[in-house]
Amino acid sequence: MTSQNSVSRSTRSAAIVGAGQTGVTAAIGLLDAGFTVTLYSERDQRALRDEVPATGTALEFGVTQQAELALGLDTYTARAPRHTGLSVRIAGPDNAELIAFDGEFDGYVGVAVDTRLKADERLTAFRERGGRFVVEPVSLDRLDTIAAENDLTLVATGRGGLSELFPVDDTRTVYDAAQRSLLTVTVTGLGHDRDVFAHRGPAGGGHSGFSILAEQGEAWWGPYLHKDAGPSWAFLGWARPGSEWEKRFAAADSAESAHRIVTELYRDYIDWDLPEVLATKVISDDPHSWLKGAVRPVVRAGVGRTASGHVVGSLGDTSVAYDPIAGQGAQSGLIQAQRLVVAAAVHEGAFDEQWLAARYAEFLAARSDAAAKVTRLFLSDPELGDIANQFFAAAAVEPRFASALVGLLHHPQPFLGIETPEDASAYIEQVTGQPAADILARFQPAGRFARSEYAGGFART
């Protein structure tokens, strides 16, 4: 199936394979830059919206919103419930309650938007503006033909073996396997005012809630914009290999079972937040409002060649697959798309291997390398353990550093140069104006986290 609604406006042509939010964002950006653009998808528009799960929570912060604004696109900050900070609780061995802090987002907000909603709305705009949308599976052979017919071809999906065109970058790929098993479910029944999660801090439901359990994994609740239900909440959990959580996550086979597993998880391990979790309800009209799986963090090459030697570029998750624990996947993909669009719009030569490789190297330096390293920090990577111990303890003592720490999710670049505990101490002092040793000397374990007294959850038990 092919749709096209206007005549070509350009002598330059581009093809993008993959109609997720990153692919369609690049497509509409190139179209607006004067390219003739063809977007390929193995599913039609209705199926993309209603017959697949959302690919994670797609939490975005200020830098990504600026990238979308630069393309003239909706950032959803006026439509989605806003994240104004991150509330963190860390429990050690035997679930000892150790660290509690609330980091404020300084000068920006976060929004988590259903990727199906965003892709659907941008695909509609793309088609209305004259973009060509082709529904067909793209194999390696078909990609060879597509690349021969277009000046610029980008691959924003790994389906059909397409990701194998882009070799793994062993110098940047740290892990040989997924570090966590994942479970996500979107729910309603809970508002976003200060009475929700009030025990965590004065912002209440304006903050995301992140809990780290050293022996089990991590759990996150955050405000979310669902494609049909509107303002809602999303849960995303990470289970360590071999943990009890991993066994529980594996048993999920529906939105209802995923919701039950999450509720039992909070009853057994994270009871400080249990009343709010008990108040939540499954979105019964969306059987795809949940997802389980695992992601191996991988960095691939930015340029590949088809069987006949035609050059193609990787985009989004096809370039870099992040564990979603630090929310970097959707952000990096959109930033990469915006940077490519801007560069292509002013480029007058061929979109050859040299041009694509240069743009990819710039993206790695400007975002991806730092984003991958921050992801490792939040994954409790042992190689960053001494740095993490300083950072999280300092955040528990000094609110300014708590905000700087959660700010790395928005702008990860400051973390790229931190390699040693001495570097970490210097960064703490840079942010706070106080010697790190003085701040860390004031740290005391939490002892016991404040428990929720939210009445809505108990009313449902």
Side-chain angles (χ1 to χ4, degrees):
M1 182 182 77
T2 301
S3 69
Q4 187 171 8
N5 298 316
S6 74
V7 183
S8 168
R9 301 174 297 168
S10 171
T11 58
R12 296 195 298 174
S13 62
I16 297 176
V17 182
Q21 73 161 348
T22 300
V24 74
T25 296
I28 198 170
L30 289 169
L31 186 71
D32 288 348
F35 284 72
T36 298
V37 183
T38 305
L39 178 64
Y40 292 87
S41 169
E42 67 177 12
R43 296 177 183 268
D44 64 26
Q45 185 168 356
R46 186 193 64 79
L48 288 169
R49 190 187 191 281
D50 296 327
E51 295 181 5
V52 295
T55 53
T57 56
L59 180 58
E60 297 174 17
F61 300 108
V63 174
T64 311
Q65 293 157 22
Q66 292 166 9
E68 291 182 311
L69 281 173
L71 295 176
L73 299 174
D74 186 359
T75 65
Y76 293 83
T77 53
R79 300 165 58 185
R82 298 182 175 194
H83 302 240
T84 58
L86 182 66
S87 176
V88 179
R89 303 293 181 267
I90 302 177
D94 299 321
N95 220 28
E97 297 170 20
L98 300 177
I99 290 176
F101 64 86
D102 294 282
E104 300 287 337
F105 296 154
D106 185 10
Y108 60 95
V109 297
V111 289
V113 179
D114 194 325
T115 53
R116 299 168 297 182
L117 172 66
K118 184 178 288 189
D120 180 62
E121 292 185 349
R122 291 183 181 173
L123 181 53
T124 295
F126 171 76
R127 299 172 76 174
E128 288 175 346
R129 297 178 195 180
R132 182 169 177 257
F133 180 56
V134 178
V135 180
E136 66 170 87
V138 175
S139 64
L140 288 168
D141 287 343
R142 179 68 177 119
L143 181 65
D144 191 38
T145 302
I146 291 169
E149 297 171 343
N150 289 275
D151 298 305
L152 173 62
T153 300
L154 301 173
V155 178
T157 178
R159 292 182 179 276
L162 300 186
S163 63
E164 299 308 312
L165 289 175
F166 308 99
V168 173
D169 183 343
D170 292 326
T171 65
R172 286 183 164 88
T173 299
V174 177
Y175 305 112
D176 59 7
Q179 299 301 289
R180 299 287 191 272
S181 297
L182 309 174
L183 179 66
T184 182
V185 63
T186 305
V187 296
T188 58
L190 197 63
H192 302 92
D193 56 32
R194 294 177 184 272
D195 294 333
V196 175
F197 294 115
H199 61 294
R200 279 184 170 258
H207 280 194
S208 307
F210 188 56
S211 297
I212 301 172
L213 279 72
E215 296 176 332
Q216 296 294 335
E218 300 82 17
W220 176 88
W221 280 102
Y224 187 75
L225 183 67
H226 182 268
K227 68 182 180 71
D228 300 315
S232 50
W233 283 82
F235 166 85
L236 183 54
W238 298 262
R240 288 178 174 272
S243 66
E244 172 63 23
W245 285 18
E246 183 180 53
K247 297 177 185 176
R248 297 191 186 195
F249 286 10
D253 58 9
S254 65
E256 290 75 15
S257 66
H259 183 250
R260 182 179 64 254
I261 289 166
V262 173
T263 301
E264 293 172 353
L265 200 76
Y266 275 74
R267 179 198 66 196
D268 297 341
Y269 292 93
I270 315 176
D271 66 326
W272 50 85
D273 291 339
L274 180 60
E276 278 81 359
V277 178
L278 291 173
T280 61
K281 300 181 295 184
V282 169
I283 301 175
S284 57
D285 291 339
D286 180 10
H288 304 291
S289 59
W290 74 286
L291 182 68
K292 71 177 180 181
V295 178
R296 178 196 172 196
V298 172
V299 181
R300 293 185 177 274
V303 187
R305 286 189 177 271
T306 65
S308 298
H310 301 294
V311 174
V312 294
S314 63
L315 180 65
D317 291 344
T318 310
S319 294
V320 185
Y322 302 87
D323 187 290
I325 198 165
Q328 297 304 304
Q331 298 196 83
S332 284
L334 291 168
I335 290 168
Q336 183 189 17
Q338 185 265 337
R339 293 177 65 92
L340 273 170
V341 167
V342 170
V346 298
H347 183 60
E348 296 182 353
F351 297 102
D352 55 16
E353 182 170 1
Q354 182 179 4
W355 186 87
L356 282 169
R359 302 294 79 73
Y360 190 57
E362 291 166 358
F363 161 69
L364 292 174
R367 181 74 190 192
S368 182
D369 286 346
K373 189 173 180 181
V374 164
T375 299
R376 292 176 59 200
L377 177 71
F378 280 85
L379 276 172
S380 303
D381 189 308
E383 290 188 10
L384 301 175
D386 290 339
I387 294 171
N389 289 340
Q390 287 193 57
F391 275 15
F392 286 107
V397 173
E398 175 51 62
R400 285 177 295 178
F401 193 76
S403 294
L405 177 56
V406 301
L408 294 175
L409 305 176
H410 151 70
H411 181 57
Q413 291 305 115
F415 191 56
L416 195 55
I418 298 175
E419 300 289 347
T420 67
E422 291 73 24
D423 295 336
S425 295
Y427 184 61
I428 292 170
E429 183 169 354
Q430 175 188 332
V431 170
T432 65
Q434 305 173 55
D438 292 351
I439 291 175
L440 296 174
R442 302 202 305 269
F443 170 74
Q444 295 290 332
R448 181 173 171 80
F449 303 144
R451 261 56 182 176
S452 173
E453 297 180 358
Y454 180 67
F458 293 114
R460 295 181 184 275
T461 59

